[in-house]
């Protein structure tokens, strides 16, 4: 919310494994906001200048439900976000469990 309120353009990637679209519902029709159903374990081509990588499930019931998916999200997701950051020269914040 803070980044949007500062007037930045925001693109959210989410596979909705643990999240819900209702969490960003209030931004869905804002011209500076877009959301893509995407799993960070797969590479993506975007043009960005900042990346906030928050993709790993943080709740024990969520990550215990599918531990292999959790490990893939943590490792492959981070590798893919690092690759995106390198290609676009973007700053990356990794905040996860």
């Amino acid at each position: 919310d803070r980044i949007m309120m500062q007037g930045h353009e925001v693109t959210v990637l989410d596979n909705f494994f643990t999240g819900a679209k209702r969490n960003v519902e209030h931004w869905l029709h804002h011209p500076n906001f877009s959301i893509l159903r995407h799993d960070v374990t797969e590479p993506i081509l975007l043009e960005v200048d900042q990346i906030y990588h928050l993709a790993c499930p943080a709740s024990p019931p969520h990550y215990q439900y599918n531990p292999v998916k959790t490990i893939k999200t943590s490792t492959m997701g981070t590798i893919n976000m690092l690759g995106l950051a390198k290609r676009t020269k973007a700053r990356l914040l990794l905040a996860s469990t």
Side-chain angles (χ1 to χ4, degrees):
D1 286 335
R2 181 175 295 177
I3 297 168
M4 282 296 296
M5 289 187 283
Q6 291 173 343
H8 296 281
E9 290 183 30
V10 173
T11 301
V12 172
L13 306 179
D14 201 325
N15 65 356
F16 300 106
F17 180 64
T18 61
K21 204 173 198 176
R22 72 179 173 275
N23 294 335
V24 293
E25 195 168 54
H26 53 290
W27 295 114
L28 291 178
H29 300 291
H30 194 284
N32 288 350
F33 184 85
S34 59
I35 188 164
L36 303 171
R37 181 179 294 269
H38 181 79
D39 191 326
V40 295
T41 63
E42 299 295 328
I44 190 162
L45 291 176
L46 294 172
E47 296 305 317
V48 297
D49 52 20
Q50 293 181 3
I51 300 168
Y52 296 83
H53 178 29
L54 315 170
C56 191
S59 166
H62 287 126
Y63 62 72
Q64 290 170 351
Y65 172 74
N66 191 337
V68 173
K69 177 114 180 101
T70 299
I71 291 169
K72 283 183 172 181
T73 301
S74 294
T75 55
M76 293 306 301
T78 300
I79 289 167
N80 288 331
M81 292 301 103
L82 284 168
L84 177 62
K86 182 179 179 181
R87 185 182 63 76
T88 61
K89 297 181 180 22
R91 295 176 68 185
L92 172 77
L93 171 72
L94 171 60
S96 189
T97 55

